[in-house]
Amino acid sequence: MNNKMDILSAKNLSKFYSKNKGLFNKQSINLRAVNNININLKAKESLGIVGESGCGKSTLAKMLAGLITPSSGEIKIQDKDINNYKKYELPNHIQYMFQDPISSLNPRKTIYQSLAAPLKYLRNLDEKEIEKEIKSIIKEVSLKEEFLNRFPHEFSGGQAQRIGIARVLLSKAKIIILDEPVSALDVSVQSQILNLLNDLQKKFELSYIVISHDLAVIEAICDRVMVMYFGDIVEKSDAKELFQKPYHPYTNLLLKSVPKTNQKIKIQNLIETELPDPINPPEGCSFYSRCENKTEKCKDLNPEETIKENRKFKCFFPNN
Amino acid sequence: MINFLKLISRNKLALFGGILLVIIFVVSFLSPLLPLKDPDVIKTSDRFLLPFSEGYLLGTDHLGRDLLSRLLWGTRLSLLVGISAALISATIGSILGTIAGFYGNKTDNVIMRIIDVLMAFPYILLALAIVAVLGPGLFNAMIAVALVNIPFFARNIRGVTVTIANKEFIDAARLSGMSNFKIIIYEIFPNILPVIVVTISTTVGWMILETAGLSFLGLGSQPPQADLGSMLGEGRSALIVNPHTSYVPGAMIFLIVIAVNLFGDGIRDALDPRLSKGELVKPQPVTQIKSNGNVENKSNSFLSVKNLTTAFEFDNKLHLASKDVSFDIKKGECLGLIGESGSGKSVTALSITCLVASPPGVIVNGSVKFQGDDILKMNYEQIRELRGNKISYIFQDPLSTLHPLIKIGKQLEEAFIEHNHQKNKEATLKGKELLKLVQIPNIENVWNSYPHELSGGMRQRVSIAMALTNDPELIIADEPTTALDVTVQAQILSLLDTLRKERGLSVLFISHDFGVVSQICDRVIVMYGGQIVEEGKTENIMSKPRHPYTSQLMECVPHIGFGKRKLPTILGSPPLIIYKKEIGCSFASRCLFKKDNCLNEDIKIVRKGDSEVRCLYPHE
């Protein structure tokens, strides 16, 4: 699994949140967020993680960036366990870009002050070098120099997201996690940011992990895609193949549900849309209750990862 | 700083408190320089002289000491002690609160339990105990008062810190390589400072009072040193015969505390961003209408909106949010309203039943005819009768429109009873019937749930059920599926479509998503910069957009099936607020087909066949 080519890999990664049952009840209940996941990311590659709310994709991403401690499993960045990195060294290698561009900037600091932090603390540059770096990066993300002395609330979403990108780039990290990079932005601004991310990836040889609920966004910037459902990866594949020929019924459902401009609505029959209970996960396949292809077997057995034509999925009865 | 003073002075009482405070400060702190008698010199022959006696402006006390001099020296001392105590407890309390809030878990538990123990004692008893241990004296009294007030600061600051520590910019700072200590100093502290200042300003009055209390009991300043509390204590024995010895320090304490509190309130108002923008003004139930009512609307449509112009008023200036919006909806028709943020689509939707919060919202012009009657000319009672009855709304976030503390069933019943004045029994029947209609499985369960116990999709079903309670004829749905996952979105859209066809409802459907709108709308309006730029049949607009904004916007939305690629873009970002004076096409600066005369004059909307477009050079 841990290929030498991989810039990042994670093995058997899980996260459970435990909660005491009550004030006087010492017994605790485990809430499953991410369940036994393996991930690998190659250099200069962009990997998409797609799934609906509550599937654990943000928890997974935050564990990779070292913002949440995993319950079990190991994460290696450049073949070194992240626990073996020195304090404050990890952000030099992996960075996280947040969904809401405005709230990821301190409201009481100017943009210049926010951008100077990674240069000062991660790269130990002096004042002069900091100014030079900031001025050059601000051009890279197409912002004006006069913006530097303004405060976050003076910016539109698109501009703030460019500032977020600049901050991430300044750390010189090669792996960047993009958490819903455009979902807070206006439609006409989304494509600007996606193009910018594509350009910067080539220019600075970055590797991306892109998290989104929007399949179209994932398709536009990713080479490979993993589909997550209920804390588990149910399908992984090259982006092109996944979007042309989804194997897992859940991937298929997602693709089918995206509204298209050239068709009227089809009547949906009401299949359950609720996720299983994370405190008491089902024994069999977690997608069972919503699945079109289900049989009795799926109810009792949880499918293992199957490989077919270079594609991996967890399903007994895949589509196609 | 000048702005800050301006904000404070808006509140007249705060201004009064501030001025009073400055006077008290200046006079008492200048007391060593003023030509006063020595406050401690005893002259028993002049005891208990009344105020305005010769040589003694405020009279003398039981030892013949000059009350004016003692008052000023005493005020100076009391202020010093009170303020020092406030600063000490603010510093220690804030540090404890920040640490507890930032680190959480065990640290938080340990610190806050100790604080709880401190709070369990009545403060004056605790202060007495501390003084008893340390021994009487002004300095010890100050320490006691400071200690007693630490819990107050710690709890306040902890609460604020917890919210800030969970913000994304703290994670961002961590990823910038900042240590916890630096994060607290550089990221958190600037954000909690206003809270600390406000808390100090509202408690310093208390602290002065508490120190005076201790001195009054003889545990604070020791004779002959004067402070306000000890002066009161000494005057107490002569309260009946010579009350002025008590009145003088008492009045001073009263003035100080009231000045501090008024001024403190002013600071709080000025520092709270919500208050400084005046947003806590209670909105009126209907939007203010400043229209001269001369818009002629002869349309006989089911709903006809004509020249509707809504603005927001700040500092007596009007900022237009929507401008001359006109459209008709036929009975049973679903009209889509597409636009980005700031396009004026939501304002338009809310203006239809005067729901724009006012202040600052103002409807400047226009007419909204619903079944022949102009809503903008109705009184509040008539509008209220329409809302939720014949016209109902579905909003983006049902969690914020449903009452969080009332069970779903109860809320459905109330919506019914409010307009129908019928009994609970019928309301229950009706409510359950509606939940069945919106295809909620396990109705009994949902009926007895609170909104937060349901998933987003279920909540949106409930709010659709609620919108249908009184058999409305028009539903205004403002981004009803934006917060939902795609699979759930598809179901909600399908539900809305079925319902409207079955019941012949008219729907105004607001969205930013072409895909969603083309699924269920018969006709589409595209808005940009507060104006309608294009209107037409859904299929026509989707296949052959005529306005450059519509076509450019449709192109830059990513579609599935085209792989990793460079996407077409529109330069710049949409305008946020439109000012009246701007002339010409609002999209011109971002338009690929712009010509010189696009900015010369306001562009009129031109009808051609069954479509309208506001452009000098539309696509043919």
Side-chain angles (χ1 to χ4, degrees):
Chain A
M1 191 72 211
N2 287 347
N3 197 315
K4 272 270 184 280
M5 295 279 291
D6 293 341
I7 189 167
L8 176 146
S9 69
K11 222 174 164 184
N12 302 335
L13 204 58
S14 296
K15 179 75 191 177
F16 293 90
Y17 290 99
S18 56
K19 206 167 95 180
N20 280 351
K21 266 187 174 166
L23 195 56
F24 301 106
N25 194 339
K26 276 279 164 189
Q27 232 182 343
S28 65
I29 36 177
N30 279 328
L31 196 141
R32 174 170 121 174
V34 169
N35 186 28
N36 217 6
I37 279 183
N38 296 312
I39 286 190
N40 64 309
L41 177 72
K42 298 188 196 75
K44 294 185 243 177
E45 178 191 45
S46 47
L47 169 69
I49 300 177
V50 69
E52 297 183 287
S53 51
C55 74
K57 53 190 195 300
S58 285
T59 310
L60 172 65
K62 287 195 171 156
M63 282 197 283
L64 295 177
L67 291 172
I68 297 181
T69 326
S71 306
S72 66
E74 58 164 25
I75 303 167
K76 281 185 174 174
I77 287 176
Q78 268 145 357
D79 269 331
K80 189 169 156 188
D81 194 296
I82 60 165
N83 295 319
N84 296 337
Y85 279 94
K86 277 189 220 113
K87 220 179 175 185
Y88 314 125
E89 195 186 21
L90 199 59
N92 281 315
H93 299 278
I94 187 162
Q95 280 289 332
Y96 195 99
M97 204 174 87
F98 297 91
Q99 176 174 0
D100 182 347
I102 307 263
S103 80
S104 60
L105 293 166
N106 190 334
R108 290 182 186 270
K109 278 178 148 186
T110 63
I111 299 313
Y112 186 91
Q113 288 170 320
S114 285
L115 290 179
L119 295 168
K120 200 161 154 192
Y121 301 110
L122 287 176
R123 292 171 58 195
N124 300 316
L125 301 183
D126 65 36
E127 285 298 327
K128 246 189 185 162
E129 288 167 310
I130 288 179
E131 196 182 330
K132 211 179 112 203
E133 283 272 333
I134 289 181
K135 283 189 173 163
S136 91
I137 207 76
I138 214 84
K139 270 196 207 99
E140 217 54 79
V141 296
S142 318
L143 287 175
K144 291 178 196 149
E145 251 179 53
E146 69 229 42
F147 288 178
L148 287 172
N149 291 321
R150 298 192 189 161
F151 288 89
H153 67 265
E154 297 172 63
F155 292 94
S156 70
Q159 289 167 335
Q161 198 60 296
R162 284 170 195 274
I163 295 164
I165 296 173
R167 184 183 58 77
V168 161
L169 290 176
L170 286 173
S171 68
K172 291 272 173 199
K174 288 290 176 202
I175 311 170
I176 295 175
I177 295 174
L178 306 166
D179 188 354
E180 300 276 5
V182 296
S183 69
L185 306 180
D186 264 314
V187 188
S188 72
V189 184
Q190 287 190 2
S191 53
Q192 296 170 6
I193 298 292
L194 292 176
N195 284 345
L196 176 68
L197 288 170
N198 264 338
D199 294 343
L200 292 171
Q201 179 173 35
K202 277 180 215 129
K203 184 159 184 183
F204 295 104
E205 306 193 324
L206 305 171
S207 310
Y208 288 153
I209 293 179
V210 187
I211 295 165
S212 181
H213 68 282
D214 188 336
L215 294 142
V217 166
I218 293 278
E219 196 198 18
I221 55 172
C222 292
D223 305 304
R224 271 195 312 139
V225 182
M226 304 197 314
V227 181
M228 268 185 95
Y229 185 75
F230 192 58
D232 217 339
I233 289 168
V234 294
E235 180 163 5
K236 37 176 137 168
S237 152
D238 275 351
K240 216 173 156 188
E241 287 166 14
L242 184 105
F243 285 100
Q244 275 169 4
K245 204 171 148 190
Y247 274 10
H248 198 284
Y250 177 60
T251 318
N252 191 38
L253 176 68
L254 278 181
L255 278 168
K256 253 189 6 197
S257 307
V258 177
K260 295 173 188 69
T261 49
N262 53 4
Q263 69 184 45
K264 284 276 168 189
I265 192 148
K266 291 189 198 110
I267 302 300
Q268 307 260 327
N269 34 336
L270 178 89
I271 331 173
E272 245 185 275
T273 49
E274 308 286 295
L275 290 169
D277 183 2
I279 294 166
N280 192 9
E283 242 168 64
C285 176
S286 48
F287 190 58
Y288 174 78
S289 59
R290 299 172 66 181
C291 186
E292 286 182 330
N293 307 353
K294 65 185 166 193
T295 65
E296 276 303 303
K297 186 181 176 188
C298 309
K299 194 177 177 183
D300 306 324
L301 280 174
N302 199 8
E304 290 293 311
E305 192 170 78
T306 318
I307 302 177
K308 184 177 156 193
E309 294 160 17
N310 223 357
R311 309 225 348 221
K312 295 173 183 159
F313 51 88
K314 286 186 180 170
C315 183
F316 294 122
F317 306 101
N319 288 35
N320 296 306
Chain B
M1 190 66 203
I2 292 168
N3 273 337
F4 182 71
L5 287 177
K6 257 190 200 161
L7 278 173
I8 288 186
S9 61
R10 271 194 333 189
N11 181 339
K12 291 284 172 313
L13 282 171
L15 187 67
F16 167 73
I19 292 172
L20 190 60
L21 207 57
V22 169
I23 294 172
I24 295 174
F25 261 89
V26 169
V27 174
S28 66
F29 281 84
L30 285 181
S31 51
L33 302 175
L34 295 176
L36 292 168
K37 296 198 169 66
D38 189 321
D40 299 334
V41 167
I42 298 172
K43 198 173 173 195
T44 34
S45 57
D46 286 345
R47 1 184 359 228
F48 291 131
L49 285 182
L50 287 177
F52 308 111
S53 313
E54 207 192 332
Y56 302 100
L57 190 58
L58 292 178
T60 55
D61 67 1
H62 62 293
L63 295 174
R65 296 177 292 198
D66 179 28
L67 268 182
L68 177 66
S69 167
R70 283 183 75 75
L71 182 75
L72 292 183
W73 282 92
T75 305
R76 178 167 172 258
L77 200 59
S78 286
L79 281 175
L80 265 178
V81 171
I83 290 168
S84 319
L87 290 178
I88 292 170
S89 63
T91 312
I92 300 176
S94 305
I95 290 174
L96 286 176
T98 314
I99 291 173
F102 183 76
Y103 289 97
N105 293 336
K106 274 191 185 146
T107 323
D108 184 28
N109 250 326
V110 171
I111 294 180
M112 294 322 286
R113 290 307 82 76
I114 296 174
I115 298 288
D116 285 347
V117 170
L118 273 182
M119 286 198 88
F121 295 100
Y123 77 92
I124 195 78
L125 271 187
L126 188 61
L128 281 175
I130 294 170
V131 174
V133 173
L134 297 175
L138 203 50
F139 185 74
N140 291 345
M142 177 187 81
I143 290 175
V145 170
L147 280 178
V148 166
N149 281 289
I150 284 174
F152 186 71
F153 281 92
R155 286 169 65 113
N156 262 333
I157 301 303
R158 174 188 169 270
V160 188
T161 310
V162 168
T163 20
I164 291 172
N166 287 321
K167 289 258 167 81
E168 287 184 337
F169 68 83
I170 300 296
D171 273 340
R174 206 163 269 142
L175 288 168
S176 299
M178 291 170 83
S179 60
N180 282 339
F181 178 71
K182 284 192 176 114
I183 289 178
I184 290 178
I185 300 291
Y186 296 116
E187 304 286 334
I188 291 186
F189 185 65
N191 284 294
I192 56 172
L193 188 60
V195 186
I196 300 180
V197 172
V198 169
T199 321
I200 292 181
S201 65
T202 49
T203 48
V204 71
W206 265 108
M207 308 241 192
I208 292 171
L209 222 49
E210 284 165 17
T211 341
L214 286 177
S215 292
F216 176 80
L217 296 173
L219 299 168
S221 77
Q222 299 301 309
Q225 196 180 35
D227 86 336
L228 294 175
S230 62
M231 285 174 74
L232 261 185
E234 287 159 3
R236 183 186 47 167
S237 50
L239 188 61
I240 308 294
V241 203
N242 289 297
H244 72 272
T245 49
S246 305
Y247 287 171
V248 168
M252 185 53 106
I253 291 176
F254 172 76
L255 284 180
I256 292 174
V257 173
I258 203 148
V260 166
N261 285 349
L262 287 176
F263 187 61
D265 284 351
I267 291 182
R268 189 194 58 211
D269 292 357
L271 284 180
D272 190 325
R274 284 174 308 161
L275 292 165
S276 66
K277 281 188 199 131
E279 279 172 17
L280 282 195
V281 186
K282 199 172 166 223
Q284 293 160 6
V286 287
T287 314
Q288 196 187 350
I289 299 174
K290 281 190 183 165
S291 161
N292 41 18
N294 54 10
V295 174
E296 213 176 320
N297 191 349
K298 287 181 180 159
S299 168
N300 288 321
S301 273
F302 175 68
L303 175 82
S304 167
V305 174
K306 205 161 182 203
N307 296 356
L308 185 62
T309 304
T310 308
F312 292 109
E313 189 171 8
F314 293 114
D315 303 328
N316 290 323
K317 263 185 246 150
L318 287 176
H319 303 287
L320 295 189
S322 68
K323 201 157 103 190
D324 280 336
V325 176
S326 306
F327 60 84
D328 284 4
I329 299 181
K330 292 195 251 330
K331 184 101 187 110
E333 187 184 37
C334 178
L335 176 68
L337 194 53
I338 285 196
E340 299 178 88
S341 55
S343 64
K345 56 185 193 309
S346 291
V347 168
T348 302
L350 292 173
S351 299
I352 290 176
T353 60
C354 300
L355 273 176
V356 182
S358 190
V362 183
I363 292 176
V364 187
N365 197 10
S367 132
V368 179
K369 259 192 170 173
F370 178 70
Q371 295 180 321
D373 302 317
D374 196 335
I375 298 179
L376 301 188
K377 286 179 182 147
M378 290 180 183
N379 61 29
Y380 171 55
E381 275 308 314
Q382 287 169 308
I383 291 180
R384 209 176 82 96
E385 197 46 45
L386 270 183
R387 288 180 188 164
N389 201 1
K390 283 190 168 174
I391 303 177
S392 62
Y393 282 83
I394 303 169
F395 292 100
Q396 174 175 347
D397 179 13
L399 198 55
S400 63
T401 45
L402 295 172
H403 196 298
L405 299 177
I406 301 179
K407 286 182 181 165
I408 299 290
K410 186 93 187 142
Q411 296 194 43
L412 280 165
E413 284 175 1
E414 274 177 8
F416 183 72
I417 295 168
E418 183 63 32
H419 282 282
N420 289 287
H421 313 290
Q422 277 178 345
K423 285 190 206 85
N424 262 331
K425 223 180 194 175
E426 276 141 89
T428 314
L429 272 178
K430 176 84 181 172
K432 290 192 176 165
E433 185 193 308
L434 284 168
L435 287 185
K436 203 169 154 197
L437 192 71
V438 295
Q439 302 174 0
I440 282 183
N442 205 348
I443 289 175
E444 286 305 319
N445 220 340
V446 170
W447 188 263
N448 288 315
S449 305
Y450 290 100
H452 72 267
E453 295 173 320
L454 303 177
S455 69
M458 281 300 144
R459 277 199 292 267
Q460 199 57 290
R461 279 168 206 270
V462 170
S463 46
I464 293 174
M466 205 170 252
L468 293 173
T469 311
N470 298 300
D471 301 311
E473 292 174 45
L474 172 67
I475 287 190
I476 299 176
D478 191 351
E479 304 255 13
T481 61
T482 307
L484 305 175
D485 284 318
V486 272
T487 55
V488 184
Q489 166 171 288
Q491 293 185 344
I492 297 288
L493 288 177
S494 152
L495 175 69
L496 271 175
D497 198 51
T498 322
L499 286 173
R500 87 165 172 102
K501 282 181 181 149
E502 279 174 7
R503 317 185 131 218
L505 292 171
S506 306
V507 179
L508 178 62
F509 191 97
I510 295 144
S511 178
H512 67 280
D513 189 329
F514 282 101
V516 169
V517 164
S518 57
Q519 302 253 299
I520 69 164
C521 295
D522 305 313
R523 261 188 321 134
V524 173
I525 286 174
V526 182
M527 282 188 81
Y528 185 82
Q531 284 186 312
I532 293 179
V533 294
E534 183 163 9
E535 194 236 287
K537 281 191 173 160
T538 310
E539 341 37 298
N540 294 348
I541 287 198
M542 296 304 156
S543 58
K544 256 194 194 160
R546 292 180 65 215
H547 196 282
Y549 171 65
T550 321
S551 64
Q552 280 173 251
L553 187 61
M554 282 170 74
E555 257 174 53
C556 73
V557 179
H559 293 294
I560 290 179
F562 299 93
K564 186 172 174 175
R565 65 202 185 277
K566 195 168 181 78
L567 301 159
T569 57
I570 307 182
L571 288 173
S573 47
L576 286 176
I577 287 182
I578 339 138
Y579 296 87
K580 229 175 188 170
K581 38 194 178 253
E582 256 178 51
I583 305 174
C585 174
S586 51
F587 185 61
S589 61
R590 305 173 75 190
C591 185
L592 292 176
F593 307 94
K594 180 183 90 169
K595 300 209 167 111
D596 289 343
N597 52 349
C598 288
L599 286 171
N600 287 353
E601 53 182 298
D602 278 336
I603 319 288
K604 291 207 171 59
I605 197 154
V606 178
R607 175 162 282 278
K608 186 186 161 195
D610 52 7
S611 73
E612 282 186 335
V613 66
R614 191 188 294 275
C615 180
L616 294 178
Y617 307 101
H619 306 310
E620 289 308 328

